[in-house]
Amino acid sequence: MVVVDGNEDTKKIEGLCLFHFGPSNASQKVRACLEAKKLKWQSRVTCMTSEEMESDWYFTIHPQGLVPALVHDGVTHIESSDIMVYLDEAFPEIPLRPNTVDGRQAVQSWLDLERTIQKPMKYMTFRFYIGNFAKLIETDKRLARLKEKNPEGYAFHKMVREGSWNDEDLRGAIEEIHDALQILEGHLANHEWLVGDQISLADYCWGTNVYRYVESYMYRFPMGRYPAVRAWYKRLLTDEAFQKAVVAYGGGPPKPLLAIKNSIQEFLGNSISCFERDVKPNWARFVLMTVAVPLCFAFLPYASTTAATGLSSTVINTGLAALWASVLYSCYKKAHAATKTVYFSSVHRMRALLTKAYGSETPVVCEEHPRPKVVLPDDILVRVHAASINPIDVKIREGYGKRGLNFMRGKSQMPAGDGKELPLIQGRDCSGVVEAVGEAVSKVKVGDEVWASLSVAPIPGTYAEYVLLKEGLVSQKPSSLTHVQSAALGYVAMTTWGALVKTAVLGPDKTAGKRVLILAGTGGIGSFAIQLVKAWGGHVTTSCSTSGIEMVEKLGADEVVDYRKTDLESALKDKPRFDVVLDTLGPAYYQTCLNLTKRGGCVVTLDSPALKTLDQYGFLLGLPKALYDLFRISIPQKLFYGRSFKYGFVAASADALDVVASLVEQKKIQPIVEKVYSLEDGNEALGHVQKGHARGKTVLLMKPE
């Protein structure tokens, strides 16, 4: 606790005297403590522009010339948190801390955490509240006094005056506040108050900060991400001491004026939410529309127009005004749209498996990489515990689909082309724990155990300690499975779902009695597809080598063809034809699959040459070539044989994962895990999958279970 030797003037002060400034966050904390304890105290309002700062007098009270400072019977106490603790010890009649050692330590830990956001709070204040007006504040003389007494404060205010803002530092400041609020959210989700079952110093200390975020100059700070904090804040607003010390001293413009000011700031793109999304509005279109459309109105020949259309000038003007407003609104929405799909932290880093160059001979590297962060309303940040390796990851590492994937990256405002997309973080599925959520997320909350599968969009993948996902891709993990087991199911489940449900139109009520042929039954997709079709009452035939027969029979396969002993078509030529054939092996097996499919049946291949064709011919020639390759097979088959031939793709969705989770809990589906590697052994894991002939899934473990 910091105590300052008083001067002759302060030693004459009797009782309690608080040197404070109304809107000051630190002053509000101390006032809340004084009000809660129902103490009588003298008020001395002071700040950098007050008379006290014209001389060195105030520096004898507070060595750095800051507020608040509390004088009690001639002894001066500084640092707001320390003052609060001192008041609770000196006036124990109304305690604001528990009597237990653990309780007091808990309060202190919250006070210490609050100290970490004071500098970020200053950044927020001057950037989004004072802004350019800071350059006009006449404080040169007073700032000169700070140079010797408070070098850090002097440097900060000098930076403000000169406007030398560092956007990266500012982003870091915003993240530090988010980090602290995340800790609050996790605690308050299960507790009414920060410590114990009643209000304490910790609540008053943090309440003043949240007041800023919600009510005052921290406009558009995305508090929607923290529902438990907002509920706690509403309870705190009913406290009489908080109302007197904080709300009554709020400062700044009245709420109606503040709302207007905030709306203008948001419209101009000068808010925290716009800053987080890198929004830089282009007002040229607004100016053009504002000037051009009224000019058009002025020169519009109303008489001839009304005569030609039979419409009154009022109707015409109303229509033109509506058109003008809609164009302006469209410009506004485009100007405020997020510039990226995934945003990365300026502060936090993570371990990740990075592909720095294409080619199987180039090893992936496990090293630090910026961590993704929650910015958009539907973002979910997941701390990855386990992720599976899929054959598609091996292909992408070798450059497969590079042109098509870079096209999609460009559409998502991500670096793409000429190696700009490197390094890549691969990985298509994961199981882990929710670390943070956007304000619109309602299906999961911080701390939930979840699993997910990524869509076809080439966003940074799951071979890392953290991954950023959208709400529509994340679901509650099956409680009966470990993270390793859950990770082994995600991508194969959603790929199979895309092939059998979305493309072949099977489902819980459409599969019973259907004959389904699944190629390569021991692989990740094959082993899952067998179980899914059997769970829905279908008849399954599959192919595998001799060593895999026992495995697929245990999974429920009704018939098994050993491809090492006999040709697939020869083995099944005397059997009834199939309603659905799932091909995972590619073009060499297309004709065999079609020959084994009955009229009205469907062949779905998961190994289409579409991306390879785009790589080879580019978009201009590759897209027509890919469509030709599909139609030259599908159209004759449909016309002459009455059967369908289609490409299947992954169809990741939280709803589909929920269905699969239900089947897992019913013991109808079980994961098949062949090998588990650590993240550092990523090259070995990728090499194992590249060899082929899998007996289940290979999984990367980020965190020991």
Side-chain angles (χ1 to χ4, degrees), residues 37 87-96:
K37 286 185 164 292
L87 288 171
D88 198 51
E89 292 175 348
F91 302 95
E93 294 80 8
I94 302 178
L96 292 178

Side-chain angles (χ1 to χ4, degrees), residues 25 54 58 61 67 101 107 127 215 227 235 285 293 299 315 330 339 416 455 490 497 544 616 635 649 656 663 665 673:
N25 183 52
E54 292 286 359
Y58 187 68
I61 295 176
V67 290
V101 174
V107 169
R127 171 61 186 264
E215 306 286 357
R235 292 193 293 272
R285 283 176 288 183
V293 175
F299 292 102
V315 172
S330 174
T339 61
S455 63
W497 190 274
C544 65
Q616 187 174 356
I635 292 176
F649 300 96
L663 293 173
E665 301 294 13
V673 179

Side-chain angles (χ1 to χ4, degrees), residues 326-386:
S326 65
V327 172
L328 283 178
Y329 180 72
S330 174
C331 292
Y332 169 79
K333 293 297 288 184
K334 288 179 181 177
H336 287 71
T339 61
K340 302 174 186 175
T341 303
V342 177
Y343 293 82
F344 287 97
S345 171
S346 302
V347 177
H348 303 291
R349 300 183 72 80
M350 64 179 181
R351 288 185 309 132
L353 209 59
L354 304 177
T355 300
K356 294 190 171 184
Y358 293 110
S360 57
E361 69 283 352
T362 305
V364 293
V365 180
C366 182
E367 61 183 37
E368 285 200 336
H369 187 273
R371 196 174 95 179
K373 64 179 180 179
V374 170
V375 170
L376 303 179
D378 59 345
D379 282 346
I380 298 177
L381 182 66
V382 175
R383 184 179 181 90
V384 179
H385 285 226

Side-chain angles (χ1 to χ4, degrees), residues 492 496 500 511 516-544 548-560 582 668-670 672:
V492 296
T496 306
L500 296 183
T511 307
V516 180
L517 172 62
I518 298 167
L519 274 61
T522 58
I525 291 174
S527 61
F528 179 84
I530 291 171
Q531 296 180 83
L532 184 65
V533 173
K534 291 303 296 180
W536 288 342
H539 179 283
V540 175
T541 300
T542 189
S543 63
C544 65
I549 292 176
E550 182 181 357
M551 171 186 162
V552 296
E553 286 180 341
K554 285 183 178 180
L555 294 176
D558 299 288
E559 295 180 65
V560 183
L582 178 61
K668 293 183 177 180
I669 289 179
Q670 59 178 317
I672 308 298

Side-chain angles (χ1 to χ4, degrees), residues 162-402:
E162 294 175 354
S164 56
W165 295 106
N166 184 322
D167 282 357
E168 202 62 22
D169 288 342
L170 190 55
R171 288 190 178 90
I174 293 172
E175 284 190 59
E176 288 180 60
I177 295 175
H178 276 306
D179 290 344
L181 286 172
Q182 225 171 282
I183 295 173
L184 255 69
E185 178 71 15
H187 179 83
L188 291 169
N190 302 304
H191 300 85
E192 189 173 359
W193 301 105
L194 290 180
V195 179
D197 56 0
Q198 60 185 11
I199 200 166
S200 69
L201 291 182
D203 297 287
Y204 287 128
C205 184
W206 272 100
T208 58
N209 291 287
V210 176
Y211 173 80
R212 289 286 184 272
Y213 307 145
V214 176
E215 306 286 357
S216 188
Y217 55 76
M218 306 300 274
Y219 173 63
R220 291 293 289 173
F221 199 90
M223 289 300 295
R225 302 179 196 175
Y226 310 106
V229 173
R230 286 184 288 124
W232 160 82
Y233 172 69
K234 287 181 180 178
R235 292 193 293 272
L236 193 58
L237 280 178
T238 63
D239 180 74
E240 184 180 356
F242 189 80
Q243 291 175 357
K244 288 181 178 179
V246 180
V247 180
Y249 280 91
K255 280 194 174 181
L257 294 179
L258 184 65
I260 294 171
K261 165 189 167 291
N262 290 342
S263 297
I264 293 172
Q265 279 189 257
E266 172 68 5
F267 194 74
L268 296 173
N270 182 28
S271 69
I272 290 176
S273 88
C274 288
F275 183 80
E276 280 194 293
R277 291 180 278 122
D278 292 333
V279 166
K280 296 177 178 64
N282 179 1
W283 300 106
R285 283 176 288 183
F286 282 87
V287 173
L288 179 64
M289 293 303 300
T290 304
V291 173
V293 175
L295 285 175
C296 291
F297 286 0
F299 292 102
L300 186 68
Y302 287 106
S304 57
T305 304
T306 53
T309 62
L311 300 173
S312 68
S313 59
T314 302
V315 172
I316 293 173
N317 283 336
T318 302
L320 287 172
L323 176 63
W324 180 43
S326 65
V327 172
L328 283 178
Y329 180 72
S330 174
C331 292
Y332 169 79
K333 293 297 288 184
K334 288 179 181 177
H336 287 71
T339 61
K340 302 174 186 175
T341 303
V342 177
Y343 293 82
F344 287 97
S345 171
S346 302
V347 177
H348 303 291
R349 300 183 72 80
M350 64 179 181
R351 288 185 309 132
L353 209 59
L354 304 177
T355 300
K356 294 190 171 184
Y358 293 110
S360 57
E361 69 283 352
T362 305
V364 293
V365 180
C366 182
E367 61 183 37
E368 285 200 336
H369 187 273
R371 196 174 95 179
K373 64 179 180 179
V374 170
V375 170
L376 303 179
D378 59 345
D379 282 346
I380 298 177
L381 182 66
V382 175
R383 184 179 181 90
V384 179
H385 285 226
S388 77
I389 293 182
N390 297 280
I392 187 68
D393 298 316
V394 176
K395 288 184 176 182
I396 291 174
R397 175 193 175 194
E398 295 172 352
Y400 172 75
K402 182 166 61 174

